[in-house]
Amino acid sequence: MIFLQKLLEKKIITKEQGDELQNEFKNFKGSEEEFIISKKLLKDNDLNKIKAEIFNMPFFENAESLEVPNNVLSMIPEESSRFYKIIPLTLQGNILEVGVVNPDDIKAKEALNFLARQNKITYKTYLISANSFEIFLKQYRNIREEVGKALSALETELGGGDDNIELFSADSKPKPERLSEDAPIIKMVAVILRHAVDGNASDIHIEPEENQLRIRFRMDGSLYSSLFLPIHTHPSIVARIKIVSNLRIDETRVPQDGRFSAKIDNKDIDFRVSTFPTKLGEKVVIRVLDSSEGLRTYEEIGVLGYNLKTLREAIIKPFGLILSTGPTGSGKTTTLYSILQELNKPEVNVVTLEDPIEYFVKGVNQSQIRPDIGYDFSQGLRSVVRQDPDIIMVGEIRDEESASLVTHAALTGHVVLSTLHTNNAVGAIPRLIDMKIKPFLLPATLNIAIGQRLGHRLCPYCKEKTRPNKEVEKMILKELSQMPETAKSFFTAPNPIYIYKPKGCSKCNNKGEKGRIGIFEVLKMTPELEKAILEDPSEQNIIKEAKRQGMITMRQDAMIKALQGLISIEEVFRTTEEQQEIIQEQI
């Protein structure tokens, strides 16, 4: 028990705690290090420093941010690096500095000795964290370099020259047999997919331009151009994607939708494909769905304070409708999954209807909608209610029929979760009425409506605390003065006012922002809201009731997050300007 002994020596744990932990470890299936991580006794960095002490080895911090030249990187092949968990850091003269995850791995030492003899060098080892190692591995992958090699192979295979362009011109119909066996094209598509997964991209855009093919990745809500390819590769790449998606490769005049799965770095990734005819050829958008990730807690998605209290009070009710509203790409489905995790218990039957199934939830009966064969949300709902469900999640209320079925499911003793496209939470009620739901049914049906947007989260490693200028401070103070007491009871504004701004570091690719966080407002059903719906269900009237019940608007929620250092003040105004204008117009 080397690690526990060190914790005792450093007085991080008491002797009594040490004895108790030793007894627990006897029944733990894993290493002592894994046991300590599972108990959250230390932060990762502190654990690595203690590990370095135990093995009498210097700890190399932030190894993932070190840019290693290709000649040094090639001294340890990627396969060896991945298998032995060793990485090249720097080459100082004849000494190769190497990062090691497991210092007591004898096979890793033997591999290093072999590489040293082969390259006629000596080496010096440093301890690195497992997280740094996983991030560092991506340095072996340069998308331009990898695709460039495949492109060169393609040019060689096809003989080069103008014949390439003619063979793959937009007017010709590429032979599916040739394309399905075309190794360079397969390599190009595989590299594009893998880099999208490595970069946590949500979408891949493959777009023909006049003289080139543009590849863009959507990361944290923004599109970034990642690669440009010769235009003559366009039909081949599109055909390859169509083949794996079971789409017609000879049909380029109408949009097509498909899907396929792939195992990338031992993870099962689903890809949803959409083709769209344009003047210059077919554009392809691929949605990247990693079913092993995305299940986040309320805190991780940004439901905090009074909003969290209101949400938890609503989901414990035995029946009723819980709506997540907002535009496309605002994180509605992720919010529903967070709620689903809390509701998912062995004693209840949870059934979902999704298009697509974005994340796998253990213990939940998830069903994929297939409109092409007549299995849409409406048809699925009719079948689901015969499955003895307690909780039903419907991916989206798309039409009058699905709205009617969802409402009646909520009225007949089921908890129903769904999404709706509206600008804000208060817009959910007029929207449902517009979808032919009778106003008198809504008070008995709707528990809460959650309005949301996504804001760029500040990088926690490099954000800078600063004082706002007078104009910005005046706007902040005005917003704080208008906040309801419900917000003030969960949040105390700093005095003096401080805000945070992005700076940029290696951990966020010098963007200053890392990931996204939800901006929320939660409207709950009350007797006063019921009266407003029955008498005058206009958005203006509902906004007045929302203000009376102390609903925190998205602008106010965003302002709280800005003062807590989660987002920048610029992000507050970017994400909530439209909602603020709507509210001001109605009041």
Side-chain angles (χ1 to χ4, degrees):
M1 303 292 286
I2 304 173
F3 279 98
L4 285 176
Q5 189 59 42
K6 274 285 181 184
L7 296 184
L8 282 167
E9 287 176 14
K10 292 179 174 290
K11 297 182 179 179
I12 294 170
I13 59 173
T14 64
K15 188 177 184 307
E16 291 75 19
Q17 287 174 315
D19 292 339
E20 187 179 330
L21 290 167
Q22 279 187 341
N23 289 329
E24 286 185 46
F25 179 64
K26 290 174 184 176
N27 299 317
F28 183 76
K29 293 180 180 178
S31 67
E32 186 184 359
E33 185 180 348
E34 289 169 337
F35 176 69
I36 289 173
I37 292 170
S38 72
K39 288 294 178 183
K40 298 181 180 178
L41 296 172
L42 289 168
K43 291 182 179 177
D44 289 347
N45 221 33
D46 295 330
L47 177 63
N48 286 315
K49 287 175 181 176
I50 288 177
K51 188 176 175 181
E53 282 184 35
I54 290 170
F55 291 100
N56 193 26
M57 180 185 291
F59 176 54
F60 199 103
E61 292 190 64
N62 300 324
E64 74 278 5
S65 64
L66 189 68
E67 290 195 15
V68 180
N70 286 336
N71 64 314
V72 177
L73 200 62
S74 62
M75 295 183 81
I76 300 180
E78 182 182 356
E79 293 75 14
S80 300
S81 176
R82 187 179 293 278
F83 184 80
Y84 295 109
K85 292 192 179 339
I86 55 177
I87 58 171
L89 298 170
T90 62
L91 183 63
Q92 305 289 344
N94 201 38
I95 302 172
L96 178 66
E97 295 183 335
V98 181
V100 180
V101 176
N102 302 315
D104 55 345
D105 188 337
I106 296 171
K107 289 185 178 179
K109 290 178 183 177
E110 290 174 352
L112 282 173
N113 288 332
F114 172 77
L115 290 168
R117 290 194 302 270
Q118 189 180 46
N119 294 295
K120 296 179 180 177
I121 56 168
T122 58
Y123 65 86
K124 181 180 179 182
T125 55
Y126 291 84
L127 179 73
I128 59 168
S129 69
N131 185 52
S132 289
F133 171 75
E134 291 298 330
I135 297 172
F136 181 92
L137 278 177
K138 295 175 185 177
Q139 291 200 30
Y140 280 102
R141 300 171 179 174
N142 183 301
I143 188 168
R144 289 174 179 81
E145 190 175 303
E146 288 188 86
V147 172
K149 288 177 183 176
L151 191 58
S152 298
L154 177 64
E155 300 292 343
T156 302
E157 186 174 310
L158 299 175
D162 293 337
D163 291 340
N164 295 343
I165 299 173
E166 188 160 337
L167 179 63
F168 295 114
S169 68
D171 295 330
S172 65
K173 290 184 179 179
K175 295 179 181 178
E177 295 82 5
R178 171 61 185 274
L179 292 173
S180 64
E181 298 167 2
D182 198 343
I185 289 296
I186 292 172
K187 175 70 174 175
M188 270 190 235
V189 173
V191 167
I192 290 167
L193 295 177
R194 193 182 66 202
H195 276 268
V197 173
D198 283 348
N200 295 318
S202 61
D203 300 270
I204 306 165
H205 289 241
I206 300 171
E207 304 162 311
E209 296 182 336
E210 197 167 343
N211 299 310
Q212 61 188 359
L213 179 65
R214 179 172 64 168
I215 313 294
R216 292 193 291 172
F217 293 158
R218 186 178 294 281
M219 293 181 283
D220 292 337
S222 300
L223 277 170
Y224 298 92
S225 295
S226 299
L227 187 67
F228 292 95
L229 296 173
I231 190 62
H232 67 260
T233 62
H234 170 240
S236 307
I237 288 174
V238 172
R240 172 61 187 165
I241 293 167
K242 283 184 172 183
I243 287 168
V244 295
S245 309
N246 290 319
L247 301 179
R248 290 182 57 187
I249 66 169
D250 60 339
E251 179 57 82
T252 60
R253 300 163 300 172
V254 296
Q256 297 186 70
D257 294 314
R259 65 192 73 228
F260 66 95
S261 300
K263 189 177 280 291
I264 298 177
D265 291 340
N266 294 318
K267 291 197 296 185
D268 291 317
I269 310 294
D270 294 322
F271 299 93
R272 187 174 63 175
V273 177
S274 173
T275 69
F276 184 74
T278 71
K279 180 182 177 181
L280 298 172
E282 284 184 287
K283 173 181 175 176
V284 179
V285 174
I286 304 174
R287 170 65 58 88
V288 184
L289 301 168
D290 184 351
S291 58
S292 65
E293 296 185 7
L295 296 176
R296 299 182 175 94
T297 64
Y298 294 137
E299 185 178 21
E300 287 171 333
I301 66 173
V303 183
L304 309 169
Y306 179 71
N307 284 340
L308 179 57
K309 176 178 176 288
T310 308
L311 173 59
R312 283 206 159 119
E313 287 173 352
I315 65 173
I316 62 172
K317 294 180 179 180
F319 63 89
L321 178 61
I322 296 167
L323 275 181
S324 179
T325 73
T328 301
S330 60
K332 299 186 296 296
T333 304
T334 301
T335 299
L336 292 190
Y337 273 109
S338 297
I339 298 170
L340 208 58
Q341 283 187 98
E342 187 154 322
L343 292 175
N344 182 25
K345 294 181 174 65
E347 61 269 21
V348 295
N349 178 25
V350 185
V351 185
T352 75
L353 297 170
E354 304 175 60
D355 185 23
I357 296 172
E358 295 193 21
Y359 311 121
F360 174 70
V361 186
K362 189 176 180 180
V364 173
N365 303 289
Q366 296 173 268
S367 183
Q368 170 68 56
I369 292 301
R370 300 195 68 88
D372 53 323
I373 59 172
Y375 181 47
D376 55 16
F377 283 118
S378 299
Q379 180 62 43
L381 266 166
R382 291 190 183 93
S383 301
V384 162
V385 293
R386 295 193 290 271
Q387 286 287 312
D388 185 31
D390 298 291
I391 298 161
I392 304 169
M393 186 178 103
V394 181
E396 185 183 341
I397 298 175
R398 291 183 176 173
D399 50 34
E400 292 176 11
E401 188 177 10
S402 58
S404 175
L405 289 166
V406 161
T407 302
H408 283 91
L411 281 170
T412 53
H414 304 98
V415 174
V416 182
L417 285 69
S418 193
T419 68
L420 193 64
H421 288 266
T422 64
N423 283 323
N424 49 29
V426 297
I429 292 169
R431 178 75 180 115
L432 287 171
I433 293 172
D434 186 53
M435 297 175 88
K436 304 294 187 274
I437 302 301
K438 302 292 184 185
F440 70 85
L441 291 175
L442 286 176
T445 303
L446 185 64
N447 288 346
I448 54 168
I450 306 165
Q452 66 182 89
R453 292 290 188 277
L454 285 177
H456 291 96
R457 189 191 291 264
L458 286 170
C459 174
Y461 301 101
C462 65
K463 64 183 178 183
E464 287 187 335
K465 189 176 182 179
T466 184
R467 291 274 288 130
N469 61 41
K470 289 183 178 179
E471 186 179 348
V472 171
E473 185 171 14
K474 186 178 177 182
M475 293 175 71
I476 293 171
L477 290 172
K478 181 183 176 183
E479 201 66 48
L480 289 174
S481 68
Q482 294 174 351
M483 280 190 187
E485 291 301 317
T486 51
K488 294 174 184 177
S489 62
F490 285 88
F491 166 73
T492 304
N495 188 16
I497 296 292
Y498 281 98
I499 58 173
Y500 297 79
K501 63 180 183 179
K503 181 182 178 184
C505 66
S506 60
K507 291 184 183 291
C508 60
N509 293 324
N510 293 311
K511 292 190 294 182
E513 295 167 331
K514 189 176 178 67
R516 291 187 289 174
I517 189 170
I519 312 296
F520 296 93
E521 62 183 22
V522 182
L523 176 70
K524 63 182 179 181
M525 185 57 65
T526 60
E528 291 81 6
L529 181 56
E530 178 179 352
K531 185 180 178 183
I533 293 170
L534 295 175
E535 291 179 356
D536 176 17
S538 65
E539 197 161 325
Q540 180 181 0
N541 203 27
I542 296 167
I543 285 175
K544 287 178 181 177
E545 163 54 21
K547 190 174 182 182
R548 187 211 63 78
Q549 69 176 236
M551 184 188 83
I552 299 168
T553 65
M554 278 187 261
R555 167 64 67 90
Q556 292 164 348
D557 186 50
M559 190 65 72
I560 290 170
K561 287 180 168 74
L563 296 175
Q564 291 174 331
L566 297 172
I567 62 174
S568 66
I569 198 71
E570 290 80 9
E571 199 67 5
V572 173
F573 301 121
R574 185 191 72 81
T575 56
T576 64
E577 185 176 0
E578 179 190 351
Q579 288 73 42
Q580 192 69 9
E581 287 175 358
I582 291 169
I583 291 171
Q584 291 299 330
E585 286 172 6
Q586 301 292 348
I587 293 176

